[in-house]
Amino acid sequence: MDLKPVTNINDLNVVSNRSELRRDVHTFVNYTREREVKRTHRSNDLPKADIKRLAKLMGDPEIQKQVKITGTSPWIDFIDHLALLLGFVRYDTEGEYMGYTSTEPSYPDNYILFQEQTYDQFLLSSLIEQEEYILNALIKRYDNSDNEFFSNTCPFSVLDGFDRFGCATGVVPTIRFDKARRHLLELLKEFNSGVWYSTASFCQYLKKEHPYFLIPQNIEVRERWWAKGRYGNFRVRKKRWGVSEEIPENAPDAFERVEGRYVERFLENIPLTMRYVDLAYDKEEDQKIYPAINNIKAFRVTERFLRVMKREIRKPRVTVLPTFEIHVDSELYPISVMTQLTRFADVLADDVAIVLKLEKNKVAAQLAEHEGLNVTALLEELADNALPPNIVTDLEEWTAHAETFTLFEGFGLLECAESLKLPAEFIVTDISPELKIVRSQDKIYSRLESSELVPILVKHPGSSFRQPPKDAQSVFLKKAPVTKRKKKAVNIKRNYSVTLYFPSKALLKRFSKELKNAKFPFSVNELTNAITFSESQEPQLKVHLKALEKEYKINIEDMDLKTSL
């Protein structure tokens, strides 16, 4: 299709969605899996305390700021409703009337229930299948009043809608909004990514080539005095609260005033929420007609959208480095991969590049909970390349030290000689001939002392384990071999490095070329769009950064990295 490109958007307000829907749904679902969340009694909303926790877990500063000021967040509300729509959680949405005088339903004891089977089935799907599952749920969501014409169905919608009055009659009930949405998405995939197109020219194309993409050509409806004809449901006002006027069906701009308004509101709903488009709004704040019209002057589709529509989303690439870092390169947020990796690793970066770091304590905890788990085999299955030898060796060592048991209060672990005989009422279970779980350990200690043995009683506090005396004999104490060899002096050199993560491969290549021309020593990781160099050369690098400041406003942010010893 031949649409008019927009060459200058400097005078427009460009809006891009930086929130990651897939990651935040995963965060919400795991939050409800791990704790009981009781919805509010009257409004059936999330409690404010849970909203604050979720905002912190999602990590978006803007959402946290919004929650701090207003106590709520449209984005978190949207994620909450989407999780219900996808079947990942369940809770009462009907409510009950608490008496004859009740005018609104209440929701007593309404807890969010995690639907494990549905979510696990979702995780088993491929990345593109997961994306289509979410997209289909959003496309099919509508009723006579819950659609782009009458309500802001997604969190980034700013345009107002038509009055809902009479929307259950007239032409609206005949509209298949899901069919119209799919049709528009199919048309959008014909555009080039990164190119700004005029919204008005797109509407003119629809008017000429697809005039009935939304409202059927032949309509059979039950008309009312407030909803007659093709456009009887859609009335406009010159003031926010004033007398409304019909949009005549025979008006030369009737299509633009109805279907054109729908296209604008469609673009700022599903496509913007899914990060399929960026939008350029008119900065004019003085609204002269309600609902607003011609506010979205231009749009551009993203490369992500085109690859989703063509089903060309590749499998996530996982790389395990000798530094215990795990780099994940994925076109869409890899929920299934992250579900597995976060069991053993902490997330260091989760933006342009996803970086995790293996943690010994997490690995040990998972091995203790899941006896047959093989962490090495799982990482080998996820990773695109062979695991570094030091990672394999350390994982084997961590596995060897992960054999643990749970000791409950009121019981004790007795280590004794195989020949020692104890009364049966003290023994709970035999772990081995030398190890036994026992009760009433104080009484056992007294009996052993009276038998002229030399027992040692070690009582552990609730938060840690107390070390036995140095001279104690135990299978849990490993004594280092005594050596008289003279210690050798060893000098270990240390050099700190700095890594810069670039937002795109294009910018990475451009800056790399600048550094190569200057013969500046550095290394490149195209998997994570990163450049690494010695910390001592950072002042020199800043000189080369100035070459980019003619076109870019550069801001370098320090990543909050966690380290483990």
Side-chain angles (χ1 to χ4, degrees):
M1 66 186 74
D2 185 20
L3 292 189
K4 180 182 178 182
V6 178
T7 57
N8 185 11
I9 61 168
N10 293 334
D11 295 331
L12 302 176
N13 183 24
V14 176
V15 175
S16 300
N17 174 18
R18 298 305 176 196
S19 299
E20 180 52 75
L21 178 146
R22 302 149 195 82
R23 178 189 61 211
D24 291 347
V25 167
H26 175 61
T27 300
F28 179 86
V29 169
N30 278 285
Y31 181 83
T32 60
R33 183 209 296 255
E34 295 168 359
R35 66 174 66 218
E36 286 188 340
V37 179
K38 182 180 180 182
R39 305 184 72 84
T40 56
H41 183 88
R42 293 296 300 169
S43 60
N44 202 24
D45 293 327
L46 288 169
K48 289 185 177 180
D50 292 299
I51 291 176
K52 288 181 180 179
R53 295 190 193 102
L54 284 166
K56 187 174 181 180
L57 289 171
M58 290 177 182
D60 189 327
E62 289 299 320
I63 293 178
Q64 294 179 43
K65 181 180 178 181
Q66 188 177 50
V67 170
K68 185 177 181 180
I69 296 173
T70 66
T72 187
S73 164
W75 178 254
I76 293 178
D77 288 340
F78 173 75
I79 295 295
D80 171 24
H81 296 147
L82 179 59
L84 178 69
L85 192 66
L86 294 170
F88 298 158
V89 299
R90 181 168 58 87
Y91 52 84
D92 179 21
T93 57
E94 300 295 329
E96 56 184 275
Y97 291 87
M98 307 304 290
Y100 291 107
T101 59
S102 298
T103 58
E104 296 290 339
S106 297
Y107 305 86
D109 299 323
N110 192 15
Y111 287 90
I112 298 179
L113 304 176
F114 170 61
Q115 303 297 288
E116 184 174 6
Q117 184 175 358
T118 303
Y119 191 62
D120 287 348
Q121 187 64 38
F122 173 80
L123 294 179
L124 292 174
S125 305
S126 67
L127 209 57
I128 186 62
E129 289 171 341
Q130 292 177 2
E131 182 77 358
E132 290 172 344
Y133 186 69
I134 296 173
L135 181 59
N136 289 337
L138 291 174
I139 287 175
K140 293 178 181 178
R141 174 196 173 192
Y142 73 89
D143 58 30
N144 294 337
S145 62
D146 183 17
N147 56 68
E148 290 89 344
F149 272 134
F150 304 109
S151 64
N152 294 339
T153 58
C154 289
F156 299 107
S157 304
V158 297
L159 301 179
D160 53 343
F162 287 100
D163 292 334
R164 286 188 175 90
F165 179 77
C167 65
T169 60
V171 73
V172 173
T174 69
I175 298 176
R176 286 285 305 277
F177 288 95
D178 56 343
K179 185 178 179 180
R181 290 165 180 165
R182 292 188 188 281
H183 183 74
L184 289 178
L185 289 172
E186 286 295 323
L187 292 177
L188 289 177
K189 78 177 185 181
E190 300 302 321
F191 296 112
N192 295 320
S193 65
V195 179
W196 288 100
Y197 294 96
S198 164
T199 309
S201 64
F202 183 42
C203 290
Q204 290 303 312
Y205 167 79
L206 290 170
K207 182 178 182 179
K208 180 180 178 181
E209 302 294 338
H210 307 274
Y212 307 112
F213 81 94
L214 183 64
I215 301 175
Q217 181 175 10
N218 300 314
I219 55 174
E220 296 181 5
V221 300
R222 294 180 59 189
E223 294 186 342
R224 295 289 188 270
W225 63 268
W226 58 79
K228 291 184 178 181
R230 185 176 187 82
Y231 294 147
N233 286 104
F234 313 107
R235 304 175 69 89
V236 297
R237 290 169 282 108
K238 293 183 179 179
K239 295 182 179 180
R240 186 178 295 276
W241 310 112
V243 178
S244 61
E245 301 175 356
E246 287 188 16
I247 297 177
E249 187 174 342
N250 59 358
D253 62 345
F255 184 92
E256 292 86 339
R257 295 167 69 183
V258 178
E259 282 88 349
R261 277 186 169 99
Y262 177 84
V263 170
E264 285 190 82
R265 285 149 183 82
F266 164 77
L267 287 171
E268 68 169 7
N269 276 267
I270 293 175
L272 184 59
T273 302
M274 297 289 285
R275 297 172 72 172
Y276 291 165
V277 299
D278 300 324
L279 303 178
Y281 289 78
D282 190 352
K283 289 184 178 179
E284 181 66 45
E285 296 182 359
D286 184 17
Q287 190 168 332
K288 297 180 175 59
I289 194 167
Y290 299 86
I293 191 171
N294 295 330
N295 273 44
I296 301 179
K297 297 298 185 181
F299 65 91
R300 63 180 176 188
V301 299
T302 62
E303 185 65 26
R304 166 187 290 198
F305 168 68
L306 297 181
R307 294 185 67 82
V308 167
M309 294 302 291
K310 296 174 183 177
R311 294 181 61 88
E312 294 178 350
I313 299 298
R314 58 173 170 75
K315 179 184 175 183
R317 295 170 182 163
V318 179
T319 304
V320 182
L321 303 179
T323 59
F324 295 91
E325 284 189 358
I326 304 174
H327 290 205
V328 182
D329 177 32
S330 181
E331 295 173 293
L332 301 175
Y333 185 78
I335 298 177
S336 302
V337 172
M338 293 298 287
T339 298
Q340 298 182 73
L341 291 179
T342 49
R343 296 162 60 191
F344 320 111
D346 289 336
V347 178
L348 302 183
D350 193 0
D351 192 6
V352 176
I354 299 177
V355 182
L356 306 95
K357 189 167 187 178
L358 282 169
E359 288 294 333
K360 181 178 180 180
N361 291 339
K362 279 194 169 184
V363 172
Q366 286 295 318
L367 290 170
E369 185 176 351
H370 306 284
E371 188 175 345
L373 181 63
N374 188 331
V375 181
T376 304
L378 189 148
L379 287 176
E380 287 177 338
E381 182 180 351
L382 290 175
D384 288 75
N385 302 317
L387 299 183
N390 69 305
I391 298 296
V392 176
T393 302
D394 283 358
L395 284 175
E396 290 176 354
E397 183 181 345
W398 295 354
T399 303
H401 289 87
E403 297 179 2
T404 63
F405 54 87
T406 303
L407 196 58
F408 297 94
E409 290 186 9
F411 299 88
L413 175 67
L414 176 67
E415 183 181 354
C416 61
E418 185 175 352
S419 59
L420 181 66
K421 302 298 181 184
L422 291 174
E425 66 267 20
F426 291 123
I427 300 176
V428 178
T429 186
D430 288 321
I431 299 175
S432 70
E434 295 85 13
L435 292 174
K436 307 175 189 297
I437 301 294
V438 297
R439 59 170 62 89
S440 305
Q441 50 268 35
D442 289 325
K443 292 183 179 180
I444 296 176
Y445 180 79
S446 298
R447 287 204 180 189
L448 292 174
E449 271 196 325
S450 62
S451 300
E452 298 184 353
L453 297 173
V454 189
I456 296 174
L457 180 62
V458 180
K459 292 188 176 182
H460 304 285
S463 59
S464 62
F465 287 102
R466 181 169 291 143
Q467 286 286 347
K470 292 182 179 181
D471 297 332
Q473 296 181 3
S474 171
V475 295
F476 299 105
L477 292 175
K478 292 184 178 180
K479 295 184 178 180
V482 179
T483 60
K484 295 183 179 180
R485 289 170 24 182
K486 185 179 178 181
K487 295 181 180 179
K488 294 181 179 180
V490 177
N491 292 328
I492 300 176
K493 295 183 178 181
R494 177 172 59 186
N495 179 41
Y496 291 103
S497 63
V498 178
T499 300
L500 297 180
Y501 294 93
F502 289 78
S504 67
K505 291 192 182 300
L507 189 58
L508 174 73
K509 290 180 179 178
R510 177 159 183 187
F511 190 54
S512 299
K513 185 178 179 180
E514 176 76 20
L515 295 180
K516 287 179 182 178
N517 293 337
K519 297 183 179 181
F520 184 89
F522 69 98
S523 62
V524 177
N525 187 337
E526 294 187 356
L527 184 66
T528 58
N529 293 346
I531 284 178
T532 302
F533 54 91
S534 174
E535 185 182 45
S536 61
Q537 295 175 308
E538 189 170 11
Q540 184 182 351
L541 180 106
K542 290 181 179 179
V543 176
H544 299 294
L545 275 173
K546 290 185 178 180
L548 299 180
E549 291 181 351
K550 296 179 181 179
E551 299 182 40
Y552 301 94
K553 183 178 179 181
I554 300 174
N555 179 37
I556 299 178
E557 297 180 0
D558 290 332
M559 296 169 58
D560 183 17
L561 300 181
K562 298 179 181 178
T563 59
S564 63
L565 298 177

